[in-house]
Amino acid sequence: MSDANIRIPEEAKDRLAAIAAAEGLSLRAYLARLADTLLTPAERVERAEKAKAVLQEWSGYAPTSAEEQGLDDELDRRLAEVAGR
């Protein structure tokens, strides 16, 4: 196991440490667990492609790039609306 030094605002470190402690973990263990649960951009793309393939096989639905962009735009609009932007 290697050590790494990262610089983050003190408030962020304190928040992460409090979350870790509430779960009975050290900050190091919490960050390691967090890293194991997050996907890289490449992993997200791979999962999205697999999901699209399963959807197409199951339902025959194969959206065009333009349809996908329209759906992404609609999702972004709705998320922004909920977030109160």
Side-chain angles (χ1 to χ4, degrees):
M1 181 183 312
S2 65
D3 283 339
N5 291 320
I6 58 171
R7 295 181 59 80
I8 61 173
E10 189 72 25
E11 299 82 24
K13 182 192 79 71
D14 292 344
R15 179 175 171 78
L16 289 169
I19 294 167
E23 295 188 26
L25 298 170
S26 68
L27 181 53
R28 177 187 296 225
Y30 179 77
L31 291 174
R33 188 180 76 181
L34 181 63
D36 286 341
T37 63
L38 298 175
L39 299 174
T40 66
E43 290 167 334
R44 285 194 301 272
V45 167
E46 181 182 353
R47 281 203 183 176
E49 292 301 321
K50 285 181 181 178
K52 282 176 26 181
V54 168
L55 178 62
Q56 183 176 2
E57 183 179 322
W58 177 71
S59 69
Y61 178 64
T64 65
S65 293
E67 289 171 323
E68 285 183 21
Q69 186 59 55
L71 292 168
D72 286 346
D73 292 345
E74 177 65 12
L75 179 59
D76 289 343
R77 184 191 67 74
R78 289 181 184 204
L79 289 172
E81 186 177 289
V82 169
R85 294 187 202 166

